[in-house]
Amino acid sequence: MDNKLFSRPLSLRDIRVTDDFWKNEMELVRTEVIPYQWEALNDRVEGAAPSYCMHNFRAAGKLNREKKAQGSAYVEPKYTFRGFEALPEDPAHPEEDKFYGFVFQDSDFSKWIEAVGYSLTQHPDPELEKIADGAIDIVCAAQQEDGYLDTYYIINGKDKIFSNLKDHHELYCFGHLTEGAVAYYQATGKEKLLKAAERFADYVADYFGTEPGKCKGYPGHEIAEMALVRLYEVTGNQKYLELGRYFVDERGTRPYYFDREHPDEVKKGREQELRYAYYQSHLPVRQQDEAVGHAVRAVYLYSGMADVARLYNDESLYHACRKLWDSIVREKMYITGGIGGTHIGESFSFPYDLPNDTAYAETCASIGLVFFARRMLEIAPDARYANVMERALYNGVLSGMALDGKSFFYVNPLEVLPEACHKDERKFHVKPVRQKWFGCACCPPNLARLVSSIGSYAFTENENTLFVHLYMGSKLEKQVNGRTVDVQIESGFPWNGDVQIKLRAKDTDFVLALRLPDWCGSYTLEGADGARTEEKDGYLYLRKEWAEEETICLHFPMEVRLMAADAAVREDAGKAAVTRGPIVYCLEEKDNGKDLHQLRINPELSAQEKPDTVCGVPVTAVEINGWRQTEKKQEKADGLYHPYVKPAKEAVRLHYVPYYTWANRGENEMQVWTSVD
Amino acid sequence: MDNKLFSRPLSLRDIRVTDDFWKNEMELVRTEVIPYQWEALNDRVEGAAPSYCMHNFRAAGKLNREKKAQGSAYVEPKYTFRGFEALPEDPAHPEEDKFYGFVFQDSDFSKWIEAVGYSLTQHPDPELEKIADGAIDIVCAAQQEDGYLDTYYIINGKDKIFSNLKDHHELYCFGHLTEGAVAYYQATGKEKLLKAAERFADYVADYFGTEPGKCKGYPGHEIAEMALVRLYEVTGNQKYLELGRYFVDERGTRPYYFDREHPDEVKKGREQELRYAYYQSHLPVRQQDEAVGHAVRAVYLYSGMADVARLYNDESLYHACRKLWDSIVREKMYITGGIGGTHIGESFSFPYDLPNDTAYAETCASIGLVFFARRMLEIAPDARYANVMERALYNGVLSGMALDGKSFFYVNPLEVLPEACHKDERKFHVKPVRQKWFGCACCPPNLARLVSSIGSYAFTENENTLFVHLYMGSKLEKQVNGRTVDVQIESGFPWNGDVQIKLRAKDTDFVLALRLPDWCGSYTLEGADGARTEEKDGYLYLRKEWAEEETICLHFPMEVRLMAADAAVREDAGKAAVTRGPIVYCLEEKDNGKDLHQLRINPELSAQEKPDTVCGVPVTAVEINGWRQTEKKQEKADGLYHPYVKPAKEAVRLHYVPYYTWANRGENEMQVWTSVD
């Protein structure tokens, strides 16, 4: 761990993303997702499960006002505890002072305001900002005198706060609120929500810790760890960083905090450990070396761990992060950057267990993997992280949203037979088409906040170096030696590997560090004449006496590549996937007919790239040689089984579309991994 | 439907099974399973979940005596209804007058006494018979004055009888009791239990039916249908046959009986139909053309339907049976004769959905398929039924029991990675080794009753014809034209296809009908010179003027065959299974090393049969040419995915053992379907 290598994301206010590809995604978020989400938060979407999110804030605010008006005569409302386990009720006219929905419903607002913040940096929008300010007023009105701010407990009884850290998502809501507040402050400079988050954080910091009299708990669903680091980075208040570290350090220590909280649920030894693996609290984090449990929780924790490791220069924690990273990337990640092999607990399965048709691969988990990757990059600029970040972004993350921004996947399988999704309960979690909205709405807003802040994943910087982790059209400014370096990038990604970088960096010792993607074996560089170049950890470092304006042209050849999985991945044995550049491809029934399992790849590919559109959106499709097995009907005879004969086959051209565009043309079969013959 | 083709099983008392293979299985049942089971019924097996079966009968008998002693002053014990859903309690000292265990615990006795009956016909055993008689005394002492006999309701309150036909297995227990009673009577001539069953049947017949005032219910778990037919066939009492027909005919009619029983659980339209598909009560039986729902329930129903169709010469019912048969055999049966593609509801999945590693394929379901097949054969001697019966018997049924008769599988997967069974909740139903005994003990006693009555599946007869459906060493007598025809069979099955049949049939118009197995394309016949031979529906019919003694030699070539599944079976695409004669083979880690998924079959088999032993039991093993994929470690690099190269492979000989012998040598990987290269 070498802190000279540390870097940090550029402020989004210093980046303007101009990229055709990403601009389009960001526009979808701005024009479709954010407005839709606001309607959803206010229960105004017909046919969608109500969120009750803003209702709950309003109800809590009303109680607050009544309390203040009545002074000490105020009596807490009747305690009507509704467990997380219960399904949210869906009343036509929710009662004014009751809480509805999941316990974590507050976080819907927080994710929304975070996306709004990022979006405003890229696309100022006074109308949206006004709505956001109004929403913040409602939220802040619910905050208690003491700083506490979670409507579930404000409404249902504050005597029960922090009594079920394991399952009630209170610190999760706190974390999201904090992230949203930081983002909105950074975008607009407005402090109101940030101050509210600080007051809540002060409350939490007073409540938790190792000091005598404090509660030694930690979140059941992680996120507060990285949120507190962000709050520290924007406020400079060391207390928040220390609280984040405390949550990381305390996790998984014995005796288990969750045991004390739920003595009735305590199991014996190994069984308890397995149970707590779901929460990544089975072991102290430094002893964890396998990514386990709920995948979103896991990568959120690991992101927080990486933040804390960097800020405390904590070698042992960084070491744990590296092991956990390797566990994911070497044993538990789909080729799409999807993680979470099983829907049971939305969790990682055991090493190399990566079923394609029953995958969970939650959109949020891939997003969390991007968070983790960026934080590892902040510690060490190593392309191993950026390569995975890119893989997840263009595939397992983007597949979560329809091309029109109007429907979403939670689950991102690599093989789908719609009949199975409808008839086989083991696959009911796999949807053959994207859904409008979810009662438990985590993925769409998570997508919104990631996409609208994509610039902060593409670039990090340290004193004099700009690290380009992702190639995308953008304009940005970086301060070096008291001067402003202007950088202007154009890129054909993800459809072609041409990158043009215009620099104005004269009289600075500006260093440009360019990621060399893992999907090409070579590259060409033009311009930057006379530069000292160095390749290190997958980055090309350019140093030189910069001229007034320089233009650097990079070319990363994007060839159609047939990829195989590690031989230990049973589900992919004998199969291959098609990739080109950062894009993973898939076969769809729409292009290739029914029964995709009867298709095979001819390794003499004769691959052809085809400019194409999916639902009007331009993409590069790929065609390769393949076979279709042709069944001889007469062999079927009386039963299912017949003597083996080499299956008759006819040559076909297989038409591949980018994985992230699948299921945009109606319900149909889809397949990433195909047998090679 | 041609009633001249009808046949019936020979009485077990007229058959003596002398076959090495089956005798061994029967001896396991006699010396291991039946005694163990008796101990289990009496809660005397250390470390096993108590059955409480005999306890419950004793408790009910005690109440009965008290009731009689007290006359009308008797007060029913306090009603302590314990739902089926609750786990059985496990008290060290069960209270004398309480019911323990599952609601269907009575049937443990019934299955045991049925197996005992069959066993006594093949191997008289006065000591066992004495124990059985004693058990019958205990059971009969629990019977109520009115004939009712189900300890769950006798103990917990008779006011609730038949109030939950859907889930409480009352008519299932009644059916098993009846089957056990018939078998024991046929074996020993002792009437006590048969009379008890008749009295209970009278009670049930008075209670259920379409007549005004009667309950229009039917069993939630079928078996009573076929049991009532057996009771009719042994008593000649038409009432029982009519009751059986009533249960068949009433099933699935609208309005749903189960809706009336559980009005609170009623769902809307399609959803309700799907729910009731589990019970095969979603439609009237004649409208059912797809095998659905709980697989054991399904084949028990279909067996009863076939019985009723035959006895009433009911063409439309027979037609439904044929469609359901085809649905199973053409779309829903594993190559092992296993049925039930999903553990959710232990049910059939949708057509062609036959996953190998998450299969349910319950032993009892394959046993039920054998029941169904035999009953279809009784209607029409068509080898399509006998071929499946043989397939199920030698593979999916026998795999349920360890070679030492001491442990059992419920679930019979076709592919097992022990790690997945331990770590992947989706596969927790799959056990990598057989278990000692089960709280819900259906499979071991079901195996016991099938194996010990195997003779009644091998042969059926009509007036002058003996149908040989299965080849096994045996001696049997058949009456033709008032004379006794002696038949003596020797067979090398399942290891070689030599069959020798010695006949003494002089002066009769005896016809011998010999099944021609589907696994050989030809056969040779010696002897029976001058016979008129005819091949029809997979049987060879021999008619002639029989000499005093004749010897017929048949040879069915048993070649190693590579089998493929229908192209619609996605899980088996590109794969093949090895069979030889009736035996399906599998690869085990023990013989072939770890990572069976990295093995491939070389279609140039060079197959070799190898006399072998598994745990001391002689079998014919098979070796064929194959490949092992050898991974190049350096390609693993940093992640799971690397450019596809044709996998390096080394030639290996693949060692196959019979599927039914798997997991007898400890926990290890197993695989039936292997890719062909």
Coordinates of all heavy atoms in Angstrom, one line a residue, chain B residues 26 38 52 71 81 87 102 114 140 278 365 381 428 452 462 474 486 508 518 537 547-549 575 596 634 677:
Chain B
M26 N -34.5 -59.0 -2.3 CA -35.5 -59.4 -1.4 C -35.0 -59.9 -0.1 O -35.6 -59.6 1.0 CB -36.3 -60.6 -2.0 CG -37.2 -60.1 -3.2 SD -37.7 -61.5 -4.3 CE -39.2 -62.0 -3.4
W38 N -39.4 -52.3 11.8 CA -40.2 -52.6 13.0 C -39.7 -51.9 14.2 O -40.4 -51.4 15.0 CB -40.3 -54.2 13.2 CG -41.0 -54.6 14.4 CD1 -40.5 -55.2 15.5 CD2 -42.4 -54.3 14.7 NE1 -41.4 -55.4 16.5 CE2 -42.6 -54.9 16.0 CE3 -43.4 -53.7 14.0 CZ2 -43.9 -54.8 16.6 CZ3 -44.7 -53.7 14.7 CH2 -44.9 -54.2 15.9
Y52 N -43.3 -43.0 16.2 CA -44.5 -42.9 17.0 C -45.7 -43.7 16.5 O -46.8 -43.6 17.0 CB -45.0 -41.4 17.2 CG -43.9 -40.6 17.9 CD1 -43.3 -39.5 17.3 CD2 -43.5 -40.9 19.2 CE1 -42.4 -38.7 17.9 CE2 -42.6 -40.1 19.9 CZ -42.0 -39.0 19.2 OH -41.1 -38.3 19.8
G71 N -68.5 -46.7 29.1 CA -69.8 -46.6 28.4 C -70.1 -45.1 28.1 O -69.2 -44.4 27.7
F81 N -55.5 -30.4 18.8 CA -55.2 -30.6 17.4 C -53.8 -30.1 17.1 O -53.5 -28.9 17.4 CB -56.3 -29.7 16.7 CG -56.5 -30.2 15.3 CD1 -57.6 -31.1 15.1 CD2 -55.8 -29.8 14.2 CE1 -57.9 -31.5 13.8 CE2 -56.0 -30.2 13.0 CZ -57.1 -31.1 12.7
L87 N -43.8 -29.3 13.1 CA -42.8 -30.4 13.1 C -43.2 -31.4 14.2 O -43.7 -31.0 15.3 CB -41.4 -29.8 13.4 CG -40.8 -29.2 12.2 CD1 -39.5 -28.5 12.6 CD2 -40.5 -30.2 11.1
F102 N -46.2 -37.1 12.2 CA -47.0 -36.6 11.1 C -48.4 -37.2 11.1 O -48.6 -38.3 11.7 CB -46.3 -36.9 9.8 CG -45.0 -36.2 9.5 CD1 -43.8 -36.9 9.6 CD2 -45.0 -34.9 9.2 CE1 -42.6 -36.2 9.4 CE2 -43.8 -34.2 8.9 CZ -42.6 -34.9 9.0
E114 N -47.6 -54.7 4.7 CA -47.7 -55.1 3.3 C -46.5 -55.8 2.9 O -46.5 -56.9 2.3 CB -48.0 -53.9 2.5 CG -48.4 -54.3 1.0 CD -48.7 -53.1 0.1 OE1 -49.0 -52.0 0.6 OE2 -48.7 -53.3 -1.1
C140 N -55.8 -53.2 15.5 CA -57.3 -53.5 15.4 C -57.9 -53.0 16.8 O -59.1 -52.6 16.8 CB -57.5 -54.9 15.2 SG -57.1 -55.4 13.5
Y278 N -51.2 -29.5 -8.1 CA -50.4 -30.2 -7.1 C -51.1 -31.5 -6.7 O -50.5 -32.6 -6.5 CB -50.1 -29.4 -5.9 CG -49.4 -30.1 -4.8 CD1 -48.0 -30.3 -4.8 CD2 -50.1 -30.5 -3.7 CE1 -47.4 -30.9 -3.7 CE2 -49.5 -31.2 -2.6 CZ -48.1 -31.4 -2.7 OH -47.5 -32.0 -1.6
A365 N -41.9 -42.1 -6.3 CA -42.5 -41.7 -7.6 C -42.2 -42.8 -8.7 O -43.0 -43.2 -9.4 CB -42.1 -40.3 -8.0
P381 N -51.3 -55.7 -23.1 CA -50.0 -56.2 -23.1 C -49.1 -55.5 -24.2 O -49.0 -56.0 -25.3 CB -50.1 -57.7 -23.3 CG -51.4 -57.8 -24.1 CD -52.3 -56.7 -23.7
F428 N -30.2 -28.5 -1.5 CA -30.2 -29.1 -0.1 C -31.1 -30.4 -0.1 O -30.9 -31.3 0.7 CB -30.7 -28.2 0.9 CG -29.6 -27.2 1.4 CD1 -28.4 -27.2 0.9 CD2 -29.9 -26.3 2.5 CE1 -27.4 -26.3 1.3 CE2 -28.9 -25.5 2.9 CZ -27.7 -25.5 2.4
S452 N -40.4 -56.9 -2.4 CA -40.8 -58.2 -1.9 C -42.0 -58.7 -2.7 O -42.4 -59.9 -2.5 CB -41.1 -58.2 -0.4 OG -41.9 -57.1 -0.1
N462 N -53.8 -64.2 -18.4 CA -55.2 -64.3 -18.6 C -55.5 -65.8 -18.7 O -54.7 -66.6 -18.4 CB -55.7 -63.4 -19.7 CG -55.2 -63.8 -21.1 OD1 -54.7 -64.9 -21.2 ND2 -55.2 -62.9 -22.0
S474 N -37.3 -67.8 -11.7 CA -38.5 -68.0 -10.9 C -39.2 -69.3 -11.3 O -38.9 -69.9 -12.4 CB -39.5 -66.8 -11.1 OG -39.5 -66.4 -12.5
D486 N -46.5 -75.8 -15.4 CA -45.3 -75.4 -14.6 C -44.3 -74.6 -15.5 O -44.0 -75.1 -16.6 CB -44.6 -76.7 -14.1 CG -45.3 -77.3 -13.0 OD1 -45.7 -76.6 -12.0 OD2 -45.5 -78.6 -13.0
T508 N -52.4 -78.6 -23.1 CA -53.1 -77.3 -22.8 C -52.9 -76.4 -24.0 O -52.0 -76.6 -24.8 CB -52.5 -76.5 -21.6 OG1 -51.2 -76.1 -22.0 CG2 -52.4 -77.4 -20.4
D518 N -36.8 -53.2 -25.4 CA -36.6 -52.1 -26.3 C -35.1 -51.8 -26.5 O -34.7 -51.1 -27.4 CB -37.4 -50.9 -25.9 CG -37.0 -50.3 -24.6 OD1 -36.3 -51.1 -23.8 OD2 -37.4 -49.2 -24.2
D537 N -47.0 -55.8 -30.5 CA -46.8 -54.8 -29.5 C -45.6 -55.1 -28.5 O -45.7 -54.9 -27.3 CB -48.1 -54.7 -28.6 CG -49.3 -54.2 -29.5 OD1 -49.0 -53.5 -30.5 OD2 -50.4 -54.5 -29.1
A547 N -45.0 -80.3 -25.9 CA -44.6 -81.6 -25.4 C -44.6 -81.7 -23.9 O -44.8 -80.7 -23.2 CB -43.1 -81.9 -26.0
E548 N -44.3 -82.8 -23.4 CA -44.3 -83.1 -22.0 C -43.5 -82.0 -21.2 O -43.9 -81.3 -20.3 CB -43.7 -84.4 -21.7 CG -43.7 -84.8 -20.2 CD -45.1 -85.0 -19.7 OE1 -46.0 -85.5 -20.4 OE2 -45.4 -84.5 -18.5
E549 N -42.2 -81.8 -21.7 CA -41.4 -80.8 -21.2 C -40.7 -80.1 -22.3 O -40.2 -80.8 -23.2 CB -40.4 -81.4 -20.2 CG -39.5 -80.3 -19.6 CD -38.6 -80.8 -18.4 OE1 -39.1 -81.5 -17.5 OE2 -37.4 -80.5 -18.5
K575 N -25.0 -34.2 -24.9 CA -24.6 -35.2 -24.0 C -25.1 -36.6 -24.3 O -26.1 -36.8 -25.0 CB -25.0 -34.8 -22.5 CG -24.3 -33.5 -22.1 CD -24.7 -33.2 -20.7 CE -23.9 -31.9 -20.2 NZ -24.2 -31.6 -18.8
L596 N -16.0 -34.4 -12.7 CA -16.5 -35.2 -13.8 C -17.0 -34.4 -15.0 O -17.1 -34.9 -16.1 CB -17.7 -36.0 -13.2 CG -17.3 -37.0 -12.1 CD1 -18.6 -37.7 -11.6 CD2 -16.3 -38.0 -12.6
Q634 N -1.8 -21.6 -16.7 CA -1.3 -20.2 -17.0 C -2.3 -19.4 -17.6 O -2.3 -18.2 -17.6 CB 0.0 -20.3 -17.8 CG -0.1 -20.7 -19.3 CD -0.1 -22.2 -19.4 OE1 -0.3 -23.0 -18.4 NE2 0.2 -22.7 -20.6
D677 N -17.6 -35.9 -27.5 CA -16.7 -35.0 -28.3 C -16.2 -35.8 -29.5 O -15.6 -36.9 -29.3 CB -15.6 -34.6 -27.4 CG -15.3 -33.1 -27.6 OD1 -16.0 -32.5 -28.3 OD2 -14.3 -32.6 -27.0

